[in-house]
Amino acid sequence: MHLAPGSDVPARELTPVDGPPVPVPDPGRLVHLQFRRFAGCPICNLHLRSIVVRHDEIEAAGVREVVVFHSTAEELREHVGGLPFAVVGDPRKRLYAEFGVESARRALLDPRVWWTVARAAAIGTWKIVRGRERAPRLWPDGGRFGLPADFLIGGDGRLVAAKYGEHAYDQWTVDELLSLAAQAPNPSERH
């Protein structure tokens, strides 16, 4: 079951692999809750680089980034050191199920993702060879067929926007996220 804008997101605290617990929703700002695949996923890394490069701009727009992987916290620590946002492990995929985020073979078999797979593999291999990244596990927790999803959650717990990916690289761009954030009600006006 997919969540639609206007749905209520129950309040919780998520425990990132490093740092203090993160409230979702966050009463003071929007939360961009993104569901990625597995620790060290080359496709996910390609996308997260675009988030890192523009993280200051995202924060200035009043958005807190929270990224969920279906890997253990221990495994994630090997891959996400130095990221400027919260990274959460969900190896049992409880959050994935709650938000209706799926796995499917089309994640990698959809022709629209093939160029990205080749590009991500080339970049990832180069970084691994140079010692800048670690290789992902051959058989990652939760498998390789995870689909991405993006949720923009208002400070009042209402879902502002949602995107369920049709393939492994089908998620909001930073520009799309910033546009959605600009259209969202101001957190101070929600109370």
Side-chain angles (χ1 to χ4, degrees):
M1 181 176 106
H2 288 180
L3 299 178
S7 299
D8 287 323
V9 176
R12 71 198 70 219
E13 280 194 341
L14 298 178
T15 304
V17 297
D18 290 313
V22 177
V24 175
D26 183 329
R29 55 187 162 169
L30 298 164
V31 172
H32 177 208
L33 184 64
Q34 32 176 323
F35 288 81
R36 302 276 67 97
R37 294 159 25 97
F38 53 89
C41 165
I43 298 167
C44 303
N45 289 348
L46 191 63
H47 173 65
L48 290 180
R49 282 186 206 105
S50 71
I51 300 292
V52 168
V53 167
R54 297 182 65 191
H55 188 254
D56 290 343
E57 193 176 346
I58 293 167
E59 282 209 326
V63 178
R64 167 181 260 176
E65 287 291 334
V66 180
V67 183
V68 180
F69 285 89
H70 55 72
S71 299
T72 65
E74 180 181 333
E75 187 177 357
L76 281 167
R77 279 188 193 97
E78 298 176 12
H79 296 276
V80 300
L83 291 178
F85 42 77
V87 176
V88 176
D90 184 19
R92 293 193 176 125
K93 292 186 167 182
R94 290 181 179 150
L95 280 172
Y96 287 78
E98 183 180 334
F99 281 82
V101 181
E102 305 169 341
S103 291
R105 291 194 182 278
R106 72 178 184 272
L108 295 175
L109 298 179
D110 188 310
R112 295 174 290 180
V113 76
W114 293 349
W115 167 245
T116 303
V117 169
R119 192 169 121 232
I123 292 169
T125 300
W126 177 249
K127 288 185 178 253
I128 290 166
V129 167
R130 296 186 68 202
R132 294 189 178 176
E133 286 184 7
R134 296 186 66 145
R137 291 173 61 187
L138 188 56
W139 305 109
D141 292 329
R144 292 189 172 273
F145 296 112
L147 291 165
D150 292 273
F151 301 92
L152 190 59
I153 303 166
D156 60 358
R158 296 244 183 231
L159 188 60
V160 174
K163 178 176 180 68
Y164 290 89
E166 294 181 17
H167 56 75
Y169 199 67
D170 185 20
Q171 68 270 316
W172 290 332
T173 65
V174 173
D175 287 334
E176 288 170 322
L177 172 62
L178 293 173
S179 176
L180 290 165
Q183 297 169 34
N186 184 320
S188 63
E189 296 172 1
R190 292 187 193 115
H191 299 289

